[in-house]
Amino acid sequence: MGKSSKDKRDAYYRLAKEEGWRARSAYKLLQIDEQFNLFEGVTRVVDLCAAPGSWSQVLSRVLIKGETFGRAGWEEKQKEARNYVLGMKDEKSQATEEKKQIEPRKPREGVRIVSIDLQPMSPLEGVTTLRADITHPSTIPLLLKALDPDTYDPSSTSPSAPVDLVISDGAPDVTGLHDLDIYVQSQLLWAALNLALCVLKPGGKFVAKIFRGKDVDLLFAQLKIVFDRVRVAKPRSSRASSIEAFVVCEGFHPPEGFKASLDVPLGAGIDLPQIEKEAVDADKKPSSKQREDGAIELELPSEDDEGGPEGGSRWIAPFLACGDLSAYDSDATYQLPKDRVSLDPVQPPTMPPYKKALEMRKLAGGAYGKTRGQENTSA
Amino acid sequence: MSQVGRHEATRVPVTALGTLGPLVFCAEGPHLRLYHRFKFLATKQIFEGQAIHGIAVHAEHPQYAFIAIWGGCLVRLLRIDSSLLVGEVEPSIFDHVCCTAICKTTDWLLDLCFGPSASEGGSSGDEFVTCAAVTAHDALLELKLDHDRSSEESHDLGSLKVSELTSSTRSILYSADVLWEDRDRILIAAGTAFGEIIYWSWSRGPDGHSSSRTHHVFLGHEGSIFGVEISKEFLDISSKKPTRLLASCSDDRTIRIWDVSGDGSQLSTPDIGSEAARTRHTGFSNEAIDMDVSSAPSLAIGWGHTSRVWTARFLDADVPGASICLLSSGEDATSRVWHLVASIGGPTRFDLKQVSCAAYHNGKNIWSEALYEPVPGIPYIVCGGADSKITARVLSSSLQPDRQGIIRTGEYTVEDIVAIQTQPHLVSISPKSSAHKSSKVSEFFRNYAFVDSETLLLTTNSGKVYLEKLSIDVDDAEVTGMISDSKLLDEKDDLRGYSICAAHKTLGVAFVAGSRGSIYMYRQNQPKLSHIYSTKGKAGSLFVASTTSKIGVVNLLVTLMGQSAAYLLSIETGREENVLVREVALSISESMTGSTITSMEHVVYDDTAEYIFLGFRGGSIAIYSLTATMNDEIQNTTASLIRIIPQVHGKETVTSMMWTPSGDNTPFQGYLTSVGRDSCVAIHSVDLSENSVAIVHNVPLAIGPNIEGLYFKDSHLIVYGFSSVAFVQYDTTSEEEIMSVETGGSHRSWAFRPQSTEDGGGTLVWTRASTMHIRTQKQPNHVVIRSGGHGREIKAVTARNRTPTEGSRQLVATGAEDTDIKIFEYVDGDFVCRRTLRKHVTGIQHLQWSEDGEYLFSSGGCEEFYVWRVRFLPSSLGIGVVCESICTPKSDHPDLRIMSFDVQKRASTGGYLISMVYSDSKIGVYSYDVTAAQRWRVIATGTYFTSCLTQTVFLPDATILTAGTDGHAVFWALPESVRGPHENLPADSQKLTWKDPIRIHQNASKTLVSQLLENGHIVVVSGGDDGSLCLQYIDVTTCTARPPIIVNRAHSSAVTACAVASYEVNASYQRFYLMTSGNDQWIRVWEVTVNANEGVNHMLDIRRIKRLKTNVADVSSMTVLPQRRVLITGVGMEVTDTSLVPMSEAPRHCGL
């Protein structure tokens, strides 16, 4: 697909090029921030599986340069029009606007941003990039040193000034075997969480990509053990057709006596101790509340564990759609002006592993139909 | 296992295969299916919801066969008594099989292998069973059967004990292979997500001390390694050294071979306590960046797959010239066979040459493969795909195409034919003149006709007619060529430079015509041709009718070149002398049909009436009635054109036709099936006595475009013809290729004779580069063990309402990401695909049947909206489908999607009202009436905002409800002026505006259904991407909704499918059962009760009743079949019987 037709199909792809983002995924983090005020009071951040770096770019532009990302004027107008005709007061957006007034964003003091990926990444202002494996114990001292290059004490195993926020947008090579893909994604999440458990300060936050597929409620139940509040967020820039979402965990509170270590990582086979069972059991009673518009919202209790080797403690995290309703809809088709010039991407796409195969085919004489299997699966 | 919520039918990707003698074990979700010599035997559910990813078979034990089945972190072991496998295997076999409990390991298992039998340890009959398994984090596990806990009576095999031989590394693997070299040594190959292959071993010393070593780390692949396999050790022919190879395949579309002979001891380092080695396992290595990594180059690289390669494995096969053979399969849904041959001047020591490629699966992904010997000595390759299909093909044909197995080929020049002649006395007709003439006329093959299955008549440019005896018995190993005997039948002056021929299918007669109008006939066992007729000009073509009006009378149609006339000759063939009994002139209406006749079909009944169908090059079909009149005691038959069916195959040639009478009593009512060079099969319902014609079926096939012939075999419609490079024989009923021959495209000179006895195949003769090629195939090129479905995710499903006249036949339509629509029939708890409709070029968004089941409507991207007319035809013709109309695109967006639509029949005036919602936030309302001059009228259009609309549904009183990605539902009222009949609609479309928005979700509504209540009001149920379920009670008198009831966190994922399973009304309540599902693969059952008290603000109560698992991933849609059976679609399809789910026992959740 050429860049021009992708422009038409994907509003955020287009917008990312216009606003200078390395990838459209930048909007996912921005919209999560809109909803959760993620960066409030945050100065020390670790970005995992960071390449090509659009989330680090958000951190750099928000925390270091102090930029704000107000929506374009027409979007504001759209929102006003919508609220007028829908006759609804958008409490949420008022709240964020108020917050914006109280707390204007400007370059912050003592900001440390460390980005880690296995793949090399172009440098970003104010961001320390590390090429390392997030699952490896040796990465922890590297990370601690990068966070506090001047005060780092190699003999200490815990960071001198712990991290406020750990984020991860890592995604696997999707094969099409759904349970395998979900498993590999959960392993990426566990890898990110294991590292976060080692560096996060109590009360810290953790945001990671999650696939809302089979057994995701088992994963939610585990996360609920180490965080006060676990919610699952879907930014409007993430397509409704995708099972991708982001788990937003706030209020890190490691269980009493729990010692995190990458030598004994949680995940494959090792679960967190079920000491905070009541945290999950809090939902055991049904409740209902009436909204202002008269609608009744029911919250049903978690169902009982079904038991057996395939069962486990299940809990469904509350869902929050992020990004204002008037923001671009990643599923919609937009009318573009006829004279529009299609921009080049900020970062050209990485070389696909099958590039050589395509060249070989060409050499072999071009007897080569475009196959359905050829589509690039990356977002 | 509980019968509540039983899975009645599951069709999901086939993710693992295993074989044991004549048995095939096949994994479909958590179910293990057993097939015996290609026939289905039994199913056993192994896990509750976990899909099976691997099957290993241990057949070395004298008394038992052991089957290990694993998936995710789970393993189960089955033990089958060998006595059960002797002779005919009973379908009840699983009742006698012993199983272990489900064993849960700590990590996802990538491979598992049985250890060698412990002969020294075994004392009693029950021996030690051990397996080794590799996890997704490269840990080696040992699994042992814990005998103490087994008991013979209950078929309980106890449990499996797991111990970790080595611990996990941190980096995740995509593939692994484990091979037990001997009791104390295990070899492991592991493929990482970063293009590395780690080859390591574990061994147990005599003191019981164990150690592991890394022998090789191979780099070179770009992208993840999806498959690795370690070969057996074998003796290399050239070096005479024991050799072991490793095969790998990857994201980069290549297959690579590596040498892992010996221990690689010079490279190996003990891993114990070595942090460096551990780092080695986890880091990302890239040759371009990390120059320090040492790695041996690969021995060979194979290119061929057009997308990712999932598996590459060694084949134990003995092929001359290639000591090593490989089998690979991948995302491109092909299975390929490769030979490893010494390279001549290539960059690697060896070359991987692809020798065959089988593409018998739909869409994407072959997930599993195995070698299989249904009968000893004839191995097959079995493949299982994402399309839930299992196919098998003969291994030897794949190893050496054209040489072995089911195929025999031959290639001959004219000189070869002359040389084969065994009866030289016949050549002496006029040897001198013939030699003299052939010096002037260049000699080549002109034309071919099959007199019978083993006799080929051919004409040459010099006017010679030969008769070739063919050896089509491919099993006869003694015979090497195709032609066993050849004789010169005749030689005619007027066949020089031009000749055509044709033969009757069963009577053993053939006709030859030349440039001057002479027509000759050959009859089986006659010594030479006999002249039967002379036309007044050059014969254009000959068509022999398959019917016979009297015994032995053949009807031959002769067309004249450049003339608008054709002659139907009736020839009595039974007598010694051939008698022309009738001659009928047909005049061609050139202006209406064109003059070139390309096919003919003849219908006759009791000599009372007779009809001729002529197919033309321009795509139309003409029907002639033959009438006999007595004139001066001479019977004179005249033909009159009674009807022309225009553009049956567009503007393309009508190549073949066949008449099927409706029944014995109505010989002139029937169906005319035709094929043409437009890839299509068309069926017309024709009443010859009434002279009425209606098209009842017209769909393109997956092959083509040049379909040349058709015939029926065992109620299957078989066609054959040419695609761009190959001749293809294809079963349109089962939608399977039977035979495919690379001919280089379509040819002028060819003939095909289908096998009459076997399941398929036949003999093809064609001219290419002035030589005659002959190829015979005795059976289909592959066996379908389990028939398939869509090869990609199903996006929409809808069940057809059953009409009383059709009995209990249940049809469902599915539309998928592969752009196909399939019509399945639900028969005996399984789905049989009856038709595939290939017209959409984008993934299907929505499907809906009309209330009466006569129409199917479909929508997709690019504003595609089609109206399909669907009928049941007599059994051999299947289900008739015609694309009756297309709603033409209105916008200039090239990729605007029609997200959903709703269809309402106009009760009084006929036709349909259709509301469509688009991805650009627009709504369009159309009126469709097939009988009107202007079929489509745009009634009204409207725009919501800019967000995508995803749902639309008609409410009573011409109101429409829509919902979209912004989580709001709104109402649109159609103006009074557009509620009239189709023809009275105003010329201009009206502008619609929406009102009364209600927030039903936080974001997109993914599924929406409406249920009409007995009181006339409506409940609309919507499932959201936010995981919630929203119920709206809509008062039809005011067309307003009561405040909705929203169940938050109804599912842990988006709610993508919902359906109302049953609706009950009695004196005290109205209630219905609602089924919801989503990507979390749960089905939740809800009971919705309508409050009797009208005054209550909230009219509905909802209770959560039950949850059930589904094996369908990526659930997209749901529909209800009779008896509360729920059909869920997504990656595959599954029917769950919810009729036994107990209702009304759960507490109420909403009583406001």
Side-chain angles (χ1 to χ4, degrees):
Chain A
M1 189 179 285
K3 65 181 189 213
S4 175
S5 57
K6 209 166 171 179
D7 277 3
K8 284 178 196 147
R9 199 191 56 179
D10 189 338
Y12 284 97
Y13 174 80
R14 196 171 67 235
L15 204 60
K17 291 193 297 183
E18 281 163 8
E19 295 187 346
W21 297 108
R22 289 183 176 181
R24 66 194 288 287
S25 57
Y27 293 100
K28 297 174 187 170
L29 186 59
L30 288 171
Q31 290 176 342
I32 293 170
D33 173 43
E34 266 181 51
Q35 183 69 49
F36 291 90
N37 207 11
L38 200 64
F39 302 138
E40 185 184 27
V42 164
T43 52
R44 297 161 68 85
V45 192
V46 178
D47 181 11
L48 304 174
C49 307
S54 64
W55 277 25
S56 288
Q57 209 186 351
V58 171
L59 297 173
S60 167
R61 283 168 73 170
V62 172
L63 301 183
I64 293 178
K65 296 183 189 165
E67 291 182 47
T68 54
F69 293 95
R71 287 172 294 276
W74 75 268
E75 285 182 317
E76 288 290 350
K77 272 179 222 151
Q78 283 258 320
K79 187 173 76 182
E80 280 162 27
R82 153 183 289 282
N83 288 346
Y84 177 74
V85 276
L86 292 180
M88 73 179 189
K89 282 184 181 170
D90 197 334
E91 302 155 46
K92 193 171 56 196
S93 81
Q94 276 182 353
T96 37
E97 269 161 34
E98 275 162 30
K99 257 179 212 145
K100 270 178 198 162
Q101 279 162 14
I102 303 162
E103 198 190 348
R105 274 173 182 165
K106 56 178 191 236
R108 299 185 190 184
E109 299 293 317
V111 170
R112 301 296 317 169
I113 303 167
V114 181
S115 300
I116 307 180
D117 203 292
L118 288 164
Q119 295 182 47
M121 197 175 104
S122 320
L124 282 164
E125 188 187 327
V127 177
T128 311
T129 55
L130 284 180
R131 209 183 130 225
D133 177 2
I134 61 163
T135 63
H136 202 271
S138 63
T139 303
I140 299 279
L142 281 176
L143 171 62
L144 297 180
K145 192 173 178 205
L147 280 167
D148 301 293
D150 306 325
T151 59
Y152 174 65
D153 172 13
S155 61
S156 164
T157 51
S158 60
S160 50
V163 170
D164 302 314
L165 171 66
V166 175
I167 57 177
S168 170
D169 191 26
D173 257 345
V174 174
T175 63
L177 270 179
H178 279 71
D179 54 348
L180 176 65
D181 293 340
I182 286 166
Y183 183 80
V184 176
Q185 179 61 41
S186 75
Q187 289 304 306
L188 272 176
L189 188 137
W190 277 114
L193 180 69
N194 276 312
L195 190 131
L197 292 173
C198 295
V199 299
L200 214 51
K201 72 170 189 196
K205 301 175 208 173
F206 175 65
V207 175
K209 180 176 286 187
I210 195 165
F211 284 172
R212 282 196 304 154
K214 195 181 176 207
D215 293 342
V216 68
D217 41 0
L218 295 175
L219 213 48
F220 288 147
Q222 291 283 304
L223 290 167
K224 192 81 170 80
I225 295 169
V226 280
F227 290 96
D228 290 333
R229 206 146 50 136
V230 177
R231 286 176 289 181
V232 62
K234 179 90 176 173
R236 288 191 196 280
S237 48
S238 172
R239 285 191 198 93
S241 52
S242 156
I243 63 165
E244 165 196 274
F246 296 88
V247 63
V248 180
C249 307
E250 293 163 294
F252 174 58
H253 66 101
E256 202 84 24
F258 173 77
K259 184 86 182 73
S261 156
L262 290 193
D263 284 308
V264 195
L266 300 174
I270 306 165
D271 283 352
L272 279 158
Q274 289 286 348
I275 50 165
E276 301 269 325
K277 185 84 173 138
E278 67 274 17
V280 175
D281 291 344
D283 288 339
K284 281 289 177 190
K285 283 188 214 80
S287 66
S288 73
K289 69 164 199 249
Q290 189 151 17
R291 279 195 329 220
E292 248 179 53
D293 63 357
I296 289 183
E297 292 198 8
L298 293 179
E299 298 284 348
L300 300 186
S302 294
E303 285 145 303
D304 294 332
D305 297 352
E306 71 271 28
E310 294 176 53
S313 179
R314 293 179 187 271
W315 177 74
I316 302 175
F319 178 92
L320 274 170
C322 307
D324 196 89
L325 279 183
S326 59
Y328 276 118
D329 176 1
S330 54
D331 295 280
T333 311
Y334 288 91
Q335 183 76 55
L336 297 179
K338 293 227 168 7
D339 56 351
R340 207 178 148 275
V341 181
S342 189
L343 300 172
D344 283 325
V346 174
Q347 283 225 320
T350 46
M351 192 175 91
Y354 50 85
K355 191 166 177 265
K356 183 86 192 290
L358 298 182
E359 287 164 5
M360 288 295 285
R361 283 293 186 127
K362 230 179 225 169
L363 280 176
Y368 186 14
K370 202 176 158 192
T371 62
R372 291 174 186 179
Q374 225 171 281
E375 300 138 24
N376 192 352
T377 46
S378 65
Chain B
M1 204 139 303
S2 161
Q3 285 298 298
V4 175
R6 188 173 59 95
H7 297 144
E8 195 171 77
T10 303
R11 276 184 168 266
V12 293
V14 178
T15 42
L17 287 166
T19 60
L20 173 65
L23 300 178
V24 177
F25 297 91
C26 142
E28 235 184 304
H31 302 286
L32 185 70
R33 301 198 198 285
L34 183 58
Y35 294 82
H36 180 257
R37 298 214 169 95
F38 307 124
K39 296 273 181 295
F40 173 72
L41 212 60
T43 294
K44 182 177 176 63
Q45 187 165 356
I46 301 297
F47 302 125
E48 196 190 336
Q50 172 64 52
I52 298 167
H53 288 285
I55 299 169
V57 178
H58 183 66
E60 284 155 40
H61 193 285
Q63 194 186 346
Y64 301 114
F66 291 92
I67 322 288
I69 299 148
W70 69 95
C73 307
L74 308 179
V75 196
R76 233 178 146 182
L77 198 65
L78 264 57
R79 191 185 72 189
I80 305 176
D81 198 303
S82 304
S83 63
L84 293 169
L85 306 175
V86 179
E88 278 304 300
V89 180
E90 294 296 319
S92 61
I93 180 166
F94 281 132
D95 299 342
H96 311 292
V97 166
C98 297
C99 324
T100 64
I102 296 170
C103 165
K104 187 172 187 177
T105 68
T106 54
D107 196 1
W108 187 279
L109 300 177
L110 288 173
D111 193 32
L112 182 148
C113 176
F114 279 97
S117 292
S119 49
E120 71 273 14
S123 49
S124 65
D126 257 5
E127 287 177 48
F128 210 57
V129 174
T130 311
C131 302
V134 196
T135 71
H137 289 84
D138 212 10
L140 185 66
L141 309 179
E142 188 179 53
L143 296 97
K144 281 185 181 168
L145 195 54
D146 188 353
H147 273 290
D148 300 340
R149 295 176 58 185
S150 72
S151 78
E152 279 305 313
E153 290 75 34
S154 63
H155 301 301
D156 177 5
L157 204 54
S159 58
L160 284 167
K161 272 198 290 196
V162 186
S163 53
E164 222 173 43
L165 298 182
T166 70
S167 58
S168 297
T169 60
R170 278 155 203 87
S171 165
I172 197 146
L173 304 180
Y174 266 106
S175 56
D177 186 43
V178 55
L179 185 93
W180 216 303
E181 194 177 37
D182 58 51
R183 276 216 75 76
D184 297 316
R185 188 171 152 81
I186 298 168
L187 303 176
I188 300 101
T192 72
F194 313 116
E196 273 185 345
I197 302 154
I198 303 148
Y199 179 72
W200 60 284
S201 68
W202 173 90
S203 27
R204 183 162 32 210
D207 53 350
H209 221 77
S210 66
S211 65
S212 60
R213 282 165 184 265
T214 301
H215 302 293
H216 296 279
V217 175
F218 293 116
L219 303 177
H221 274 297
E222 296 161 60
S224 307
I225 311 291
F226 293 120
V228 281
E229 198 189 58
I230 306 164
S231 79
K232 288 181 185 167
E233 196 167 60
F234 61 94
L235 208 61
D236 184 57
I237 303 159
S238 51
S239 67
K240 302 276 181 283
K241 280 182 190 156
T243 306
R244 196 189 287 280
L245 300 179
L246 176 72
S248 63
C249 56
S250 143
D251 206 355
D252 64 12
R253 277 82 162 136
T254 66
I255 297 160
R256 296 178 197 227
I257 307 295
W258 315 83
D259 188 355
V260 292
S261 304
D263 279 342
S265 47
Q266 67 278 14
L267 286 167
S268 68
T269 47
D271 286 353
I272 306 145
S274 162
E275 185 59 26
R278 247 177 32 173
T279 310
R280 190 52 266 114
H281 281 233
T282 55
F284 176 73
S285 306
N286 183 317
E287 270 184 311
I289 304 159
D290 304 286
M291 295 307 288
D292 58 318
V293 176
S294 61
S295 166
S298 64
L299 290 181
I301 303 179
W303 310 83
H305 281 282
T306 55
S307 47
R308 293 179 287 179
V309 192
W310 300 135
T311 51
R313 50 180 290 180
F314 293 93
L315 279 174
D316 290 320
D318 191 21
V319 181
S323 53
I324 308 291
C325 296
L326 278 103
L327 176 65
S328 70
S329 60
E331 190 180 15
D332 62 3
T334 65
S335 166
R336 298 170 195 243
V337 172
W338 309 76
H339 288 175
L340 186 68
V341 291
S343 170
I344 304 148
T348 47
R349 268 174 60 202
F350 294 89
D351 281 339
L352 261 181
K353 277 177 60 182
Q354 183 187 311
V355 286
S356 68
C357 171
Y360 305 137
H361 287 263
N362 300 320
K364 275 187 179 184
N365 295 321
I366 289 180
W367 290 126
S368 51
E369 53 190 21
L371 274 188
Y372 174 46
E373 278 191 48
V375 284
I378 306 177
Y380 280 72
I381 298 168
V382 189
C383 291
D387 55 358
S388 79
K389 185 173 172 181
I390 308 169
T391 60
R393 62 191 203 273
V394 177
L395 172 68
S396 56
S397 304
S398 298
L399 288 173
Q400 291 182 295
D402 305 339
R403 279 192 189 83
Q404 280 186 28
I406 59 170
I407 290 160
R408 170 173 291 156
T409 55
E411 201 180 317
Y412 300 90
T413 62
V414 179
E415 289 75 24
D416 295 336
I417 297 294
V418 174
I420 294 168
Q421 286 185 92
T422 53
Q423 287 159 293
H425 64 276
L426 277 173
V427 188
S428 65
I429 296 169
S430 55
K432 272 191 178 164
S433 64
S434 117
H436 177 68
K437 278 164 193 161
S438 59
S439 66
K440 270 195 260 173
V441 182
S442 68
E443 185 65 321
F444 56 85
F445 296 109
R446 267 277 170 201
N447 233 315
Y448 310 99
F450 281 95
V451 178
D452 59 43
S453 61
E454 297 186 356
T455 313
L456 177 70
L457 180 143
L458 65 88
T459 62
T460 69
N461 194 44
S462 66
K464 292 194 180 74
V465 180
Y466 288 91
L467 211 55
E468 308 300 320
K469 189 80 185 154
L470 306 179
S471 319
I472 60 163
D473 181 11
V474 297
D475 293 331
D476 190 347
E478 300 289 302
V479 185
T480 49
M482 272 302 311
I483 295 178
S484 61
D485 194 4
S486 171
K487 72 176 178 186
L488 177 64
L489 189 66
D490 220 329
E491 182 175 10
K492 300 284 182 193
D493 264 1
D494 57 356
L495 298 180
R496 285 178 58 208
Y498 177 82
S499 57
I500 52 174
C501 51
H504 189 270
K505 281 172 187 161
T506 53
L507 289 175
V509 291
F511 300 93
V512 184
S515 55
R516 279 177 253 156
S518 297
I519 295 171
Y520 302 94
M521 178 163 126
Y522 169 74
R523 208 170 67 211
Q524 231 163 4
N525 304 324
Q526 271 188 341
K528 49 205 274 185
L529 299 177
S530 53
H531 180 265
I532 55 163
Y533 189 73
S534 289
T535 61
K536 300 169 204 69
K538 186 177 180 177
S541 42
L542 300 175
F543 301 99
V544 184
S546 50
T547 53
T548 48
S549 22
K550 287 177 192 153
I551 298 302
V553 173
V554 171
N555 290 293
L556 172 72
L557 186 83
V558 184
T559 71
L560 299 185
M561 220 170 234
Q563 297 179 36
S564 293
Y567 295 92
L568 183 72
L569 309 177
S570 302
I571 302 127
E572 209 162 336
T573 60
R575 302 190 189 179
E576 204 52 45
E577 284 300 306
N578 300 310
V579 183
L580 181 68
V581 293
R582 190 178 66 170
E583 174 191 344
V584 185
L586 285 85
S587 66
I588 310 301
S589 169
E590 198 174 341
S591 60
M592 291 163 83
T593 58
S595 63
T596 311
I597 298 168
T598 49
S599 51
M600 186 266 282
E601 174 68 335
H602 177 241
V603 177
V604 65
Y605 182 70
D606 277 356
D607 289 340
T608 53
E610 199 173 352
Y611 297 91
I612 291 279
F613 295 93
L614 297 183
F616 289 87
R617 192 164 70 186
S620 50
I621 293 173
I623 310 172
Y624 288 80
S625 165
L626 303 190
T627 7
T629 48
M630 294 301 281
N631 194 2
D632 297 339
E633 292 183 6
I634 296 165
Q635 185 174 329
N636 186 26
T637 306
T638 54
S640 49
L641 176 66
I642 58 166
R643 194 179 185 104
I644 289 168
I645 318 173
Q647 293 192 344
V648 174
H649 292 277
K651 290 176 177 173
E652 305 298 331
T653 303
V654 182
T655 51
S656 194
M657 293 180 287
M658 189 157 286
W659 175 256
T660 311
S662 299
D664 291 340
N665 304 324
T666 53
F668 299 112
Q669 283 171 26
Y671 295 90
L672 182 73
T673 308
S674 63
V675 291
R677 293 195 183 135
D678 62 346
S679 285
C680 286
V681 173
I683 302 175
H684 286 79
S685 168
V686 182
D687 188 329
L688 289 165
S689 46
E690 296 280 324
N691 192 9
S692 68
V693 172
I695 187 157
V696 294
H697 181 68
N698 187 17
V699 294
L701 300 172
I703 59 157
N706 294 340
I707 313 294
E708 300 289 343
L710 76 120
Y711 65 99
F712 286 95
K713 186 166 180 10
D714 305 330
S715 290
H716 283 225
L717 172 62
I718 317 285
V719 301
Y720 51 87
F722 293 94
S723 68
S724 58
V725 293
F727 171 86
V728 182
Q729 185 189 14
Y730 183 82
D731 182 335
T732 67
T733 308
S734 64
E735 302 190 324
E736 293 294 334
E737 179 189 290
I738 300 168
M739 176 172 176
S740 174
V741 183
E742 261 198 49
T743 56
S746 46
H747 289 263
R748 283 240 304 255
S749 296
W750 63 278
F752 180 66
R753 171 91 186 184
Q755 278 260 7
S756 51
T757 49
E758 302 283 342
D759 294 337
T763 307
L764 177 74
V765 53
W766 74 102
T767 312
R768 187 180 188 184
S770 77
T771 58
M772 171 173 68
H773 294 248
I774 312 174
R775 179 168 166 126
T776 195
Q777 185 179 312
K778 77 159 182 185
Q779 65 190 57
N781 54 21
H782 67 286
V783 183
V784 178
I785 299 178
R786 177 161 170 78
S787 67
H790 289 283
R792 298 282 306 274
E793 306 90 312
I794 298 172
K795 305 304 271 187
V797 65
T798 173
R800 183 175 181 266
N801 285 341
R802 294 189 295 180
T803 57
T805 52
E806 290 153 4
S808 59
R809 297 187 71 177
Q810 176 65 57
L811 298 185
V812 299
T814 54
E817 200 56 34
D818 60 9
T819 78
D820 290 345
I821 296 169
K822 281 180 185 284
I823 296 178
F824 288 93
E825 184 169 352
Y826 192 54
V827 191
D828 300 332
D830 202 2
F831 288 98
V832 181
C833 178
R834 295 295 186 202
R835 286 288 178 215
T836 301
L837 315 182
R838 299 175 183 86
K839 191 169 181 71
H840 281 278
V841 296
T842 61
I844 311 299
Q845 295 281 350
H846 191 60
L847 287 173
Q848 193 176 325
W849 289 98
S850 64
E851 199 69 21
D852 56 13
E854 289 188 353
Y855 285 95
L856 176 68
F857 302 88
S858 64
S859 82
C862 300
E863 288 182 77
E864 293 175 334
F865 187 90
Y866 300 136
V867 181
W868 309 86
R869 179 77 171 84
V870 182
R871 300 174 177 85
F872 282 98
L873 301 179
S875 63
S876 64
L877 300 174
I879 286 161
V881 183
V882 179
C883 182
E884 187 179 273
S885 192
I886 297 166
C887 184
T888 48
K890 302 288 182 300
S891 82
D892 52 359
H893 283 297
D895 53 2
L896 188 59
R897 286 161 286 151
I898 301 175
M899 300 300 293
S900 188
F901 62 85
D902 192 24
V903 178
Q904 195 175 50
K905 190 163 186 153
R906 285 163 171 261
S908 51
T909 59
Y912 292 92
L913 271 185
I914 301 161
S915 159
M916 303 184 200
V917 287
Y918 297 88
S919 56
D920 66 350
S921 215
K922 292 201 165 59
I923 178 172
V925 185
Y926 299 83
S927 176
Y928 173 72
D929 189 344
V930 69
T931 60
Q934 194 189 346
R935 287 181 174 187
W936 289 96
R937 304 284 299 272
V938 186
I939 296 179
T941 57
T943 303
Y944 177 57
F945 271 107
T946 55
S947 61
C948 180
L949 289 175
T950 57
Q951 313 292 342
T952 178
V953 64
F954 278 109
L955 302 175
D957 204 27
T959 303
I960 296 164
L961 180 138
T962 65
T965 53
D966 68 346
H968 284 76
V970 296
F971 295 87
W972 311 71
L974 281 178
E976 203 64 52
S977 60
V978 297
R979 301 185 190 181
H982 186 83
E983 56 272 21
N984 296 351
L985 291 170
D988 297 324
S989 74
Q990 305 292 301
K991 195 167 166 53
L992 286 179
T993 51
W994 52 269
K995 57 171 188 173
D996 303 337
I998 304 158
R999 189 152 73 94
I1000 58 172
H1001 296 293
Q1002 293 188 49
N1003 58 356
S1005 164
K1006 302 281 283 183
T1007 176
L1008 188 138
V1009 294
S1010 66
Q1011 174 65 42
L1012 182 66
L1013 302 176
E1014 200 221 13
N1015 60 15
H1017 300 306
I1018 283 178
V1019 176
V1020 172
V1021 184
S1022 170
D1025 188 32
D1026 60 359
S1028 75
L1029 187 63
C1030 174
L1031 281 82
Q1032 285 176 276
Y1033 184 90
I1034 291 165
D1035 188 328
V1036 292
T1037 49
T1038 55
C1039 225
T1040 52
R1042 303 288 177 96
I1045 293 171
I1046 294 157
V1047 182
N1048 282 328
R1049 298 192 280 169
H1051 284 263
S1052 60
S1053 67
V1055 181
T1056 52
C1058 71
V1060 174
S1062 68
Y1063 176 61
E1064 297 171 7
V1065 186
N1066 66 21
S1068 53
Y1069 61 82
Q1070 295 182 66
R1071 70 178 177 200
F1072 59 87
Y1073 298 103
L1074 190 68
M1075 311 285 164
T1076 59
S1077 191
N1079 295 326
D1080 63 355
Q1081 295 186 231
W1082 285 106
I1083 305 167
R1084 285 198 167 81
V1085 184
W1086 312 79
E1087 183 193 81
V1088 179
T1089 308
V1090 182
N1091 279 324
N1093 185 353
E1094 282 282 336
V1096 180
N1097 193 24
H1098 292 281
M1099 296 298 297
L1100 306 170
D1101 284 342
I1102 181 162
R1103 307 169 196 206
R1104 187 171 64 192
I1105 303 271
K1106 180 89 185 162
R1107 62 177 169 170
L1108 309 159
K1109 281 180 177 172
T1110 175
N1111 297 305
V1112 174
D1114 212 353
V1115 170
S1116 64
S1117 191
M1118 187 192 266
T1119 191
V1120 174
L1121 302 177
Q1123 280 95 45
R1124 245 161 71 186
R1125 278 154 172 81
V1126 177
L1127 166 58
I1128 290 186
T1129 59
V1131 179
M1133 51 210 289
E1134 184 167 68
V1135 175
T1136 304
D1137 177 0
T1138 67
S1139 59
L1140 294 173
V1141 172
M1143 300 293 183
S1144 294
E1145 281 165 22
R1148 288 186 168 201
H1149 299 310
C1150 178
L1152 290 163

